């Protein structure tokens, strides 16, 4: 990006000659989130952190750590371990104290908090920073608003307290920008981005697909549907199981539930019991953590991602479409924006087992030519609207907007130029 210096040594981006990035005059961005796991939140944070470092700014992440922590050093991103999973006042105060030190030691100009607990800790931290050194706060709001009054509104309020509030869909942006007390001028739409180097059918070899099919003992013939998602999340696995029961012998179909690692045992046992009670053991199975989701998408005939409550965005939907697969997804919330109904997938109402049955019949009954046409459209649509590069570019523009506005207000012309460049 113009106007910023890029260090030739990535490991030195965070500091220069023993000084923090803030002391060298570079903008510094601190992202705050609970874990660096394989969630969409973590992946998006790492992508943005790498883009910030590539732009020549200081890039920091505070989190509880996780499997993806090892990716940060090669991206030029510095990590600080901060416990951000407990929302009680004592834990929040402890985390806020740690964040205050990070902000002061590194001259942080932007704090970007993702999620309710992280937003609350970041907000408390910024309030403790001395006047004149307070960073700007950006928050990411992922779930549709549940209420504008009462306890739910208080629960969500930290995520609405940013100088800028990122919404992940148009539907959510409209929610956040309307109603009593809302400030639409703070809300910015930033779609989560997909890594098309990973989710590209041309890059997924037949060998990877064959290995996965062999491991799962998937034979030729019957259509295969995959259902990714946490078993204890808002995914509506129960309605799906009811749908498979209603299909009966009409369709020879296999459905695989693909939860991520660390599946809660109780959630698994409850679903396994429901599968037995509904008599669909031979048609649906819960598999262990899948380490090659691009191959899983390429192997299957369709993807299901239906929810018990509205989501503002589904990474599963975008990944599946990036791999050229038809998707059955929930109509409510922002997920419907990701699909071209009737062309790249089918939208159903929550709890509508009959709708899922009809959708399954439609997507598994496509001819080879119809499937090729759908794949081409789904891939093009996803690449146009949900690219990782676009997400990073828009987010960095938002950071620069805040840094530039603050600097201009204070008469700091150099910092204003840096803010605009970032």
């Amino acid at each position: 990006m113009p106007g910023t210096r890029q260090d030739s040594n990535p490991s030195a981006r965070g500091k220069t000659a023993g000084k923090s990035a803030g002391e060298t005059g570079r903008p510094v961005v601190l992202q705050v989130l609970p874990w660096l796991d394989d969630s969409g939140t973590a992946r998006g944070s790492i992508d943005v952190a790498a883009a910030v470092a590539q732009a020549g700014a200081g890039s920091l992440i505070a989190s509880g750590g996780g499997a993806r922590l090892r990716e940060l050093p090669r991206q030029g991103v510095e990590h600080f371990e901060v416990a951000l999973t407990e929302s009680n006042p004592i834990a929040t105060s402890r985390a806020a104290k740690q964040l205050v030190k990070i902000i002061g030691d590194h001259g942080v100009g932007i704090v970007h908090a993702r999620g309710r607990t992280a937003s609350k800790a970041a907000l408390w931290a910024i309030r403790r920073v001395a006047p004149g050194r307070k960073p700007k706060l950006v928050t990411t709001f992922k779930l549709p608003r549940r209420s504008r009054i009462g306890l739910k509104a208080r629960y969500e309020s930290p995520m609405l307290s940013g100088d800028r509030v990122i919404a992940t869909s148009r539907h959510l942006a409209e929610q956040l920008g309307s109603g009593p007390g809302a400030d639409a001028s703070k809300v910015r739409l930033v779609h989560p981005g997909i890594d098309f180097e990973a989710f590209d059918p041309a890059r997924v070899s037949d060998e990877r697909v064959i290995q996965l099919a062999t491991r799962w003992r998937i034979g030729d013939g019957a259509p295969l549907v995959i259902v990714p998602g946490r078993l204890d999340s808002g995914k509506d696995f129960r309605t799906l199981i009811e749908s498979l029961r209603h299909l009966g012998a009409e369709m020879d179909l296999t459905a695989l539930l693909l939860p991520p690692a660390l599946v809660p045992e109780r959630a698994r046992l409850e679903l396994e019991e429901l599968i037995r009670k509904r008599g669909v053991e031979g048609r649906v199975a819960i598999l262990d953590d899948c380490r090659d989701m691009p191959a899983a998408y390429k192997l299957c005939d369709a993807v299901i991602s239906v929810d018990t409550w509205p989501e503002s965005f589904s990474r599963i939907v975008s990944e599946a479409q990036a791999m050229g697969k038809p998707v059955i997804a929930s109509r409510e919330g922002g997920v419907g924006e990701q699909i071209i109904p009737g062309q790249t997938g089918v939208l159903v109402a929550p709890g509508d087992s009959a709708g899922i049955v009809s959708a399954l019949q439609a997507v598994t009954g496509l001819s080879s030519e119809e499937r090729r046409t759908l794949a081409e459209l789904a891939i093009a649509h996803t690449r146009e609207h949900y690219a990782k590069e676009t997400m990073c570019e828009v987010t960095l523009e938002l950071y620069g907007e805040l840094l530039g506005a603050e600097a201009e207000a204070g008469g700091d012309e150099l910092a204003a130029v840096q803010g605009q460049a970032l």
Side-chain angles (χ1 to χ4, degrees), residues 7 45 108 123 143 156 165 180 186 225 230 246 256 302 309 363:
D7 296 316
S45 298
V108 172
L123 182 62
L143 297 174
E156 296 172 343
V165 179
K186 298 196 310 181
V225 174
R230 289 178 57 87
H246 292 319
L256 300 180
W309 66 72
V363 299

Side-chain angles (χ1 to χ4, degrees), residues 1-10 13-14 26 46-59 74-77 392 396 421-422:
M1 297 186 180
T4 57
R5 177 175 61 81
Q6 296 185 20
D7 296 316
S8 59
N9 180 8
R13 285 179 184 150
R26 295 186 295 164
I46 293 171
D47 289 338
V48 169
V52 169
Q54 185 65 30
S59 186
R74 67 174 178 265
Q75 303 283 7
V77 181
C392 292
L396 264 62
L422 178 62

